[in-house]
Amino acid sequence: MPTPARTSVQAIVTAARTILEAEGLEGLTMQRVAQAVGVQAPSLYKRVRDRGDLVRLISNDTARELSERLERAAASGDPVRDLRAVADAFRAFARERPAAFGLLFAPVPESWRADEALNRAAAAVVVRLAGELAGPERALDAARLVVAWAQGFLSMELAGAFRLGGDVDEAWQFGIEAITASLRSRPRRRT
Amino acid sequence: MPTPARTSVQAIVTAARTILEAEGLEGLTMQRVAQAVGVQAPSLYKRVRDRGDLVRLISNDTARELSERLERAAASGDPVRDLRAVADAFRAFARERPAAFGLLFAPVPESWRADEALNRAAAAVVVRLAGELAGPERALDAARLVVAWAQGFLSMELAGAFRLGGDVDEAWQFGIEAITASLRSRPRRRT
DNA sequence: ACCTGAACACCGTTCAAGT
DNA sequence: ACCTGAACACCGTTCAAGT
């Protein structure tokens, strides 16, 4: 006789995201997740292939949410203002979900990573704005400059790696201003 | 009767670094390290406090080595050339020891991290060069821009996160040029 | 169809016992 | 003084057995 489902992939992923933020990636055990959704650990394997798969589902959700936020931030139509707003949205997201954000860029096995299409969607906004600033020929190079800087800055900030004093918010402002100014003044190969 | 030591902290750390690069952080188990140095796992606890402490010792060695390399790279006396050379040395190191490099910037428990003084030493070169370019008032902000970009770029490159095509080497060149140009042209508060 | 207890192969770590 | 086997508390994962 079929028994009714006592949980769902959605419930599992949601619980896992909460545990990830509260207790880190090593704290994210199958037993801990099972307890949170009210089943025994082996039952989770009816919904997710294994722990790596669960991590991948978390990253998918994270990438989707990040993508939406970046999209929403680019609303003014002015590429300089928009790029700054997108960077700030990126930072706000990283501070809200530090563990999930870290996971998105962590050197994790390939099969744990968010689906390529979701990463691509999140990148699209930045590539578009970077192209408007630096010209279509340089769009990808420029986007990589912006994303690398922002990701590096935030991973260092979240890891507490800025230990030489100074104002970290000011360093962030300095960075985004230097980068946008540089992209705008760069000679374009063609327009 | 005292028995002669069959291994040493140095041998343990050296073996651990090799294992880290070959099999990643999850592959770095106490049993694996013990096997490599020819003792049983419990014996390791005579030399290192626990696995986290072993990771910290690896990071210390990594930070020391990175620091030396960056120092050696800054030799021309011209800050623009030196900053480029330091960035290139940073990248070369990251590619030689990707796992150790990743570890240095990974969101890992505080007690696993390299000693503060070693991180400070590695940062010093960059802060000096950044100050020569952007002025002493902006040295720290400028150094944070450079290091954040480089670290982010490399962590993305090593994670295989540049998946939109284009030439990654060219993106690196584009980045360091845009950043140095921007720092040089930035208005200085004072000289 | 879904859930579970029991089991397996692995971890890190402690500790009494050996030399 | 150093090393080890045995043990403990944890993991992820599989699977036969239950409903």
Side-chain angles (χ1 to χ4, degrees):
Chain A
M1 206 209 295
T3 46
R6 229 170 290 180
T7 185
S8 66
V9 177
Q10 198 36 249
I12 289 170
V13 175
T14 301
R17 293 179 77 184
T18 304
I19 294 166
L20 173 66
E21 290 305 334
E23 327 196 11
L25 189 57
E26 336 81 39
L28 183 70
T29 69
M30 297 303 270
Q31 328 222 2
R32 187 75 191 66
V33 174
Q35 177 207 336
V37 300
V39 298
Q40 297 297 320
S43 297
L44 297 178
Y45 292 81
K46 284 278 153 181
R47 320 271 175 198
V48 301
R49 192 159 15 105
D50 51 28
R51 184 171 176 267
D53 194 45
L54 176 54
V55 171
R56 190 181 60 83
L57 294 174
I58 294 174
S59 288
N60 278 354
D61 270 23
T62 306
R64 250 188 297 268
E65 200 175 323
L66 176 59
S67 192
E68 278 169 28
R69 296 253 219 132
L70 298 188
E71 210 96 48
R72 260 207 307 273
S76 82
D78 171 45
V80 172
R81 282 185 52 171
D82 276 358
L83 200 58
R84 191 179 307 229
V86 166
D88 287 343
F90 199 58
R91 189 167 184 227
F93 186 78
R95 290 170 143 194
E96 262 175 55
R97 301 200 184 289
F101 179 85
L103 192 55
L104 222 48
F105 294 93
V108 113
E110 181 65 29
S111 63
W112 294 24
R113 285 225 275 282
D115 297 345
E116 177 54 14
L118 297 174
N119 286 327
R120 215 174 273 258
V125 198
V126 181
V127 174
R128 177 173 63 79
L129 292 173
E132 288 177 27
L133 268 182
E137 280 268 337
R138 289 309 209 170
L140 200 51
D141 285 342
R144 280 168 176 166
L145 168 55
V146 174
V147 173
W149 166 74
Q151 192 275 324
F153 193 101
L154 292 169
S155 82
M156 293 181 73
E157 182 179 15
L158 294 177
F162 291 136
R163 274 168 281 198
L164 297 178
D167 187 316
V168 175
D169 288 334
E170 226 172 76
W172 175 263
Q173 294 303 327
F174 178 87
I176 190 69
E177 270 168 43
I179 287 174
T180 50
S182 161
L183 293 184
R184 219 173 11 177
S185 68
R186 215 104 260 276
R188 303 178 173 205
R189 290 219 199 122
R190 64 182 176 92
T191 314
Chain B
M1 207 210 297
T3 46
R6 228 170 292 180
T7 186
S8 66
V9 177
Q10 199 35 249
I12 290 169
V13 174
T14 301
R17 292 179 78 184
T18 305
I19 294 167
L20 173 66
E21 291 304 335
E23 326 197 9
L25 190 57
E26 337 81 38
L28 183 70
T29 68
M30 297 304 268
Q31 326 222 4
R32 187 76 190 66
V33 174
Q35 177 208 334
V37 299
V39 297
Q40 297 297 320
S43 298
L44 298 178
Y45 292 82
K46 284 278 153 182
R47 321 270 174 196
V48 302
R49 193 159 14 108
D50 52 27
R51 183 171 177 266
D53 194 44
L54 177 55
V55 171
R56 188 180 61 82
L57 294 175
I58 295 173
S59 288
N60 278 354
D61 270 22
T62 306
R64 250 188 297 267
E65 200 175 324
L66 176 60
S67 193
E68 278 169 28
R69 296 252 219 134
L70 298 188
E71 211 95 49
R72 259 206 308 272
S76 82
D78 172 45
V80 171
R81 283 185 52 170
D82 277 358
L83 200 59
R84 190 178 306 229
V86 165
D88 287 343
F90 199 58
R91 190 168 182 225
F93 185 79
R95 291 171 142 193
E96 261 174 57
R97 300 200 185 291
F101 178 85
L103 192 55
L104 222 49
F105 294 94
V108 112
E110 179 66 29
S111 64
W112 294 23
R113 284 225 274 282
D115 297 345
E116 177 54 13
L118 297 174
N119 286 326
R120 215 173 274 255
V125 199
V126 181
V127 174
R128 176 172 65 79
L129 293 172
E132 288 178 28
L133 268 182
E137 280 268 338
R138 288 311 209 169
L140 199 52
D141 285 343
R144 279 168 175 166
L145 168 56
V146 174
V147 173
W149 166 74
Q151 191 275 324
F153 193 101
L154 292 170
S155 83
M156 292 180 74
E157 183 178 14
L158 294 177
F162 290 136
R163 272 168 283 199
L164 296 177
D167 187 317
V168 174
D169 289 334
E170 224 172 78
W172 175 263
Q173 294 303 329
F174 178 88
I176 190 67
E177 271 169 42
I179 287 173
T180 49
S182 162
L183 293 185
R184 219 172 12 176
S185 67
R186 216 106 261 277
R188 303 176 174 208
R189 290 216 196 122
R190 65 183 173 90
T191 313

